[in-house]
Amino acid sequence: MRIKALSLFMTLVIFIIFTASLAVYYNFKINVIDDIELRISNTADEIILSIADSPENFRSHPAKFLSPRSEEDISTSDLLVQFMDNNGNVIAKSPNLKKKTLYFVKGDNDLLRDIEIENGLKLKVYQKNIEVNGVSIGYLVLGVKTSHLFSSLNYLRNSLIIIMLCVLIVTAFGWNIVTKIEMINAKKQFLSFASHELRTPLSVISGNAELALNNKFTNDQYKEALLEIKNETIWMSRLVTNLLALFRNESGAERVNKQEMNISELIVTESSALKKRYPKKKITVNLSEVSTIKADPHHIKKVIANLLENAAKYSSEDGKVNIALYDLGKKIKLVVTDDGVGIKKELIKNIFDPYYRINEGRTEGMGLGLAISKWYITAHGGNIFVESTPNKGSIFTIILPRS
Ligand code: ADP
């Protein structure tokens, strides 16, 4: 149970870190790209405005307009500027372009492109028509080096990947430790349970055998000693069967062998057997029209027998036990109700844990039945839960898929 909650928590933490990393990366990327695009268009507007102020000057000396008046938006070292005439011929370009020319498509206006020129240099290129009083006098092509920007983005992406890997490694490591601790705890729990639960029947058996062997007993006394030995052996054999079932479940060795089974018939058989064991109890059965389901008959029998036995065991001698079966379409609902001692609200969460008994003691049982039942029902894709009121009784409900 704790492992399940922990694994859910860890998955949630990993999911949050993963989505947060993705969000950080893409937000950063979008912001950085938006920012550079805004700066390019601002710079272009600034250059075009200065051309519009003195178009004649631009016609005679276009090179004078190659740098923006301010370097507020982009530093000149990062900026590549090129002017084209209306026919697409280069009329001026900034010295940092050297022999290169910027990519240009005649007719395109107000367009941004990502291009890569020689040596892997990445550029964002912006092309805009230069218009003065509605007449086109050429084109401005602006290029901004973006290689450093993409390497920062790559750096951020790689750092986030490393962080994610570290989180995964730490989680796996932590998970390993937690499962080991859980295993040690389970072993400790089992050892203390088994030694405690086995010691009593073993000493009763050996005590009775010893007495019978060392004393001259009457026939009745021998019978009594043998009966005690028999009862203790039955108890031990039930204990061992339950423990083995629990281990098979927990180790993953148990398989669910689903087959068509008549659940109504099973309920009738189990409640009749209960009536024989508890003749004074008022045991009633309500069956709906559900009769067959697809499930493992061995598992379902064990679950029903356990719920009925508990309902009878934890109610008064002449208490009431009811078992009802409902058809929910694709599912069935099985409800076992008793008017017994009930369970305190704060203890309900524990009763499906292995070895858990509200009051330790042999009359109480082994504390294994509900843990095993829960495993069987969950393995069938179903659900088991309880509602209870102390001194009024309990209602155990099972929801099971029909197939
Ligand atoms: P067992 O009955 O063998 O001890 P279970 O796993 O079946 O083991 O039940 C665990 C504990 O839950 C019981 O020891 C008992 O305290 C409580 N319990 C189970 N069923 C009922 C019930 N119908 N009414 C009250 N308490 C119950």
Side-chain angles (χ1 to χ4, degrees):
M1 191 70 188
R2 254 179 300 155
I3 282 248
K4 219 172 163 185
L6 197 73
S7 70
L8 210 76
F9 175 72
M10 281 178 160
T11 320
L12 200 73
V13 168
I14 291 175
F15 177 76
I16 291 172
I17 293 179
F18 188 71
T19 18
S21 304
L22 276 180
V24 166
Y25 177 72
Y26 282 106
N27 243 321
F28 189 70
K29 190 172 173 181
I30 288 167
N31 277 339
V32 162
I33 289 172
D34 278 359
D35 183 60
I36 198 83
E37 289 181 354
L38 185 75
R39 282 160 186 256
I40 292 181
S41 74
N42 282 350
T43 309
D45 287 347
E46 206 181 302
I47 293 176
I48 290 175
L49 264 177
S50 63
I51 293 172
D53 280 351
S54 47
E56 289 315 315
N57 207 359
F58 174 72
R59 281 195 189 96
S60 51
H61 299 99
K64 281 189 177 167
F65 294 83
L66 284 169
S67 5
R69 280 179 202 149
S70 70
E71 281 194 22
E72 218 171 80
D73 291 305
I74 303 164
S75 77
T76 22
S77 59
D78 280 338
L79 192 67
L80 308 163
V81 188
Q82 178 177 296
F83 292 124
M84 328 283 294
D85 64 17
N86 280 329
N87 296 321
N89 302 313
V90 178
I91 50 173
K93 60 181 183 176
S94 51
N96 52 2
L97 266 168
K98 294 182 187 147
K99 285 185 181 160
K100 297 183 279 275
T101 49
L102 290 174
Y103 184 76
F104 168 78
V105 179
K106 204 172 140 192
D108 281 356
N109 184 28
D110 197 12
L111 254 180
L112 272 160
R113 293 188 180 87
D114 283 302
I115 62 163
E116 199 171 318
I117 56 171
E118 63 223 49
N119 303 333
L121 188 66
K122 284 187 177 130
L123 296 178
K124 201 163 252 305
V125 172
Y126 181 59
Q127 172 175 334
K128 192 161 186 180
N129 197 205
I130 308 167
E131 280 187 0
V132 177
N133 300 328
V135 180
S136 166
I137 56 167
Y139 290 90
L140 162 68
V141 187
L142 276 184
V144 175
K145 293 176 196 165
T146 50
S147 297
H148 62 289
L149 218 124
F150 282 105
S151 47
S152 308
L153 275 173
N154 284 347
Y155 181 74
L156 175 69
R157 188 196 56 204
N158 293 344
S159 311
L160 289 173
I161 289 174
I162 290 171
I163 291 173
M164 271 310 298
L165 284 177
C166 290
V167 168
L168 283 177
I169 291 168
V170 170
T171 312
F173 191 66
W175 180 249
N176 204 1
I177 292 177
V178 168
T179 44
K180 272 194 183 135
I181 292 174
E182 278 290 323
M183 264 164 61
I184 293 169
N185 283 345
K187 264 188 202 161
K188 267 192 199 158
Q189 234 184 342
F190 164 71
L191 280 177
S192 97
F193 174 81
S195 60
H196 185 251
E197 293 307 313
L198 288 174
R199 202 173 291 142
T200 318
L202 283 174
S203 64
V204 174
I205 290 172
S206 67
N208 274 294
E210 193 113 354
L211 276 176
L213 285 171
N214 295 338
N215 295 292
K216 273 210 156 152
F217 269 12
T218 62
N219 273 357
D220 281 351
Q221 281 172 321
Y222 276 127
K223 261 194 187 162
E224 205 178 310
L226 282 172
L227 195 69
E228 274 205 56
I229 290 174
K230 183 184 156 203
N231 286 343
E232 293 305 323
T233 318
I234 291 172
W235 163 267
M236 276 174 55
S237 130
R238 267 187 52 217
L239 180 70
V240 171
T241 310
N242 279 337
L243 280 175
L244 287 178
L246 186 75
F247 289 150
R248 270 202 311 274
N249 297 349
E250 287 185 348
S251 68
E254 184 67 25
R255 293 271 165 270
V256 178
N257 293 315
K258 283 192 180 181
Q259 47 188 273
E260 285 288 320
M261 59 167 284
N262 192 320
I263 188 160
S264 307
E265 220 171 81
L266 180 66
I267 290 172
V268 172
T269 315
E270 289 302 318
S271 45
S272 307
L274 191 76
K275 267 180 205 161
K276 281 191 190 133
R277 287 200 302 280
Y278 297 90
K280 288 192 180 156
K281 293 212 192 272
K282 296 174 193 77
I283 300 166
T284 48
V285 178
N286 292 89
L287 295 176
S288 69
E289 64 278 20
V290 186
S291 55
T292 56
I293 60 165
K294 216 168 166 204
D296 187 320
H298 165 73
H299 292 170
I300 304 301
K301 178 178 162 37
K302 187 113 177 97
V303 173
I304 293 178
N306 181 249
L307 289 188
L308 284 175
E309 183 65 34
N310 281 351
K313 199 162 64 178
Y314 300 110
S315 54
S316 61
E317 207 183 337
D318 55 353
K320 291 183 196 140
V321 174
N322 177 264
I323 177 160
L325 181 66
Y326 302 96
D327 185 355
L328 303 183
K330 286 191 172 164
K331 292 179 179 173
I332 58 148
K333 181 160 95 166
L334 192 94
V335 184
V336 177
T337 314
D338 67 65
D339 62 350
V341 292
I343 305 161
K344 282 189 196 148
K345 211 172 168 196
E346 65 272 21
L347 301 180
I348 283 185
K349 62 180 187 314
N350 301 323
I351 64 164
F352 293 99
D353 290 348
Y355 316 116
Y356 185 79
R357 290 167 289 185
I358 290 174
N359 299 304
E360 283 201 19
R362 306 205 53 206
T363 45
E364 190 78 1
M366 298 170 184
L368 297 171
L370 286 179
I372 296 170
S373 299
K374 187 175 170 91
W375 192 91
Y376 287 155
I377 295 299
T378 314
H380 276 76
N383 199 5
I384 178 168
F385 53 92
V386 60
E387 295 150 85
S388 191
T389 316
N391 302 321
K392 284 228 160 100
S394 309
I395 307 170
F396 281 82
T397 305
I398 289 175
I399 309 282
L400 259 187
R402 279 187 91 126
S403 54

